[in-house]
Amino acid sequence: MRDIQHFVNAAAAAGRSGRFGEVFDPNTGEVQARVALASVEDVDLAVQAAAQAQPRWAAVNPQRRARVMFEYKRLVEARLEELANLLSSEHGKVVADSKGDFQRGLEVIEFACGIPHAMKGEYTEGAGPGIDVYSLRQPLGVVAGITPFNFPAMIPMWMFGVAIAVGNTFILKPSEKDPSVPVRLAELFAEAGANLGMDLKGVLNVVHGDKTAVDAILDHPAIQAVSFVGSSDIAQYVYSRGTANGKRVQAMGGAKNHGLILPDADLDQAVKDIVGAAYGSAGERCMALPVAVPVGRKTAEAFREKMIAEIETLRVGVSTDAAAQYGPVVSAAHRDKIAGYIKLGVEEGAELVVDGRDFRLQGFEKGFFIGPTLFDHVKPSMKTYQEEIFGPVLQMVRAETFEEALALPSQHQYGNGVAIFTRNGRAAREFASRVQVGMVGINVPIPVPVAYHSFGGWKRSAFGDANQHGMEGVRFYTKVKTVTARWPEGDVTDAAFHMPTMN
Ligand code: NAD
């Protein structure tokens, strides 16, 4: 059986814990590899490597650091096919979605190619008589990222792309469910440096693991900042423990994104968009759209009818099936959890219109598949509405008025993304202004901001006050130093001015 090891100082590291996790192929349901689970000592060794490398890396001028990012982008793109297949084989998403996972991550690397510009400070001439003031952005030192299973390429790149470009060194603790791609990302980063004649040992390190590794990161005194993305309870835990230890922490959590369909929407387009956003990647996206809110009975009836027809055309297949819209979910436990929510939805009194629980793929009966599922007449009081399901389940919550519809995402515990489908600019503007959610799409079902803007939700979807990537990322991974300078007056030919002495 293949062993997936840590990656420290630009080399594979076996780890000393003797503990391993199982890595599955979600298509077949079989274990395909073992991943090393770090001990406190394993984390410490990686932090030592990062700490040793950091001053040297921070001293590399920003345009040379940017050149590493250019080369890195080239290397990842050149291997996209191989990398996307590797990602799909552990995650289960179809290969086209895996390519998107890399593409969106590479956009952050592109942003990082412009880091010299983003790092420029500010300068005030003559803030007082003969006094100038300027501010600098300096890296924090060693920083860490803890990432979820659902975007094993994009989310690590959101974090280390910016963190490393500004001069930090990085410890990545990826999800133990699909750990191979993060290691390949770190190997290619070391290769990018080598191609430019630079030794990047210790700049980007990967330690795999579970709670033990996460706690070791949160408690390590040499780690200055932690970025986390995952489910909300763990995000809150990471935020509390990390900040209690004096670290800077940004911790993104779960989601329950709503899509409002106003009576004047282009319904055919909205249905197509919502099918992709609800069922794509088996619903395992924090920006998926699992709640549809049609406004008015006529809209609801028409939406439901078109949605049922569209679901019938969906093809669920193995992740290498180029014609499939989505593949298996990540694990048997997750499939069972989703099926449990479907059962609960029925018990709570929602109408189960399409039931995906009996879906079986011939030849892959042990794969972690679940068919597209649709509920209607879901009520805000239901647990299945209040919680994140994170599977291919779309819930219709009918609203009578715009105000009623606007209140649903605004009052929900999560506030990651939201979308509105309408032709009415005024309604869309009002909605975008008033809705209590961090990322808003207007006729855009999955409003993930481009890399030079920033990503972040509100309420229980994010703890801490800094978003991911863009200038928010630059600010999160740097500290500001402000210098106030006054130069002595007098004749510059004066010897004492040239070289001050004790006299
Ligand atoms: P998860 O919370 O189970 O795991 C995330 C990370 O935390 C992993 O690295 C994992 O090893 C670690 N972890 C797990 N249990 C832990 C514990 N008890 N103590 C300390 N660390 C622990 O999340 P997941 O299942 O990998 O990912 C899916 C979740 O991530 C969903 O809730 C989804 O909405 C969310 N997500 C959010 C965003 C966002 O930007 N808001 C993006 C992607 C995914």
Side-chain angles (χ1 to χ4, degrees), residues 1 29 54 57 71 73 132 151 183 186 204 214 223 251 347 388 393 424-425 430 473:
M1 172 128 356
Q54 201 271 330
W57 174 242
E71 176 63 3
K73 177 171 155 15
D132 302 325
F151 281 97
V183 174
L204 175 54
V214 170
I223 294 178
E347 288 163 8
E388 180 183 42
V393 180
N424 183 329
E430 172 102 1

Side-chain angles (χ1 to χ4, degrees), residues 224-246:
Q224 305 300 325
V226 177
S227 288
F228 173 91
V229 176
S231 51
S232 288
D233 288 348
I234 298 176
Q236 188 167 16
Y237 166 76
V238 165
Y239 183 76
S240 306
R241 187 157 173 164
T243 51
N245 285 330

Side-chain angles (χ1 to χ4, degrees), residues 146-151 154-155 158 173-177 209-212 214-215 218 228-232 234-235 237-238 252-255 284-287 330 334 388 390 414 416 439 455-457 461-462 468:
I146 300 163
T147 54
F149 81 83
N150 70 326
F151 281 97
M154 176 184 80
I155 293 177
W158 278 1
K173 204 306 282 173
S175 169
E176 63 277 37
K177 294 189 182 115
D210 50 15
K211 185 171 173 8
T212 304
V214 170
D215 288 347
L218 296 172
F228 173 91
V229 176
S231 51
S232 288
I234 298 176
Y237 166 76
V238 165
M252 276 57 195
E284 293 172 316
R285 293 176 178 140
C286 68
M287 288 296 274
V330 71
H334 192 50
E388 180 183 42
F390 217 56
Y414 295 115
N416 214 38
M439 291 173 280
F455 184 106
S461 293
Q468 300 276 350

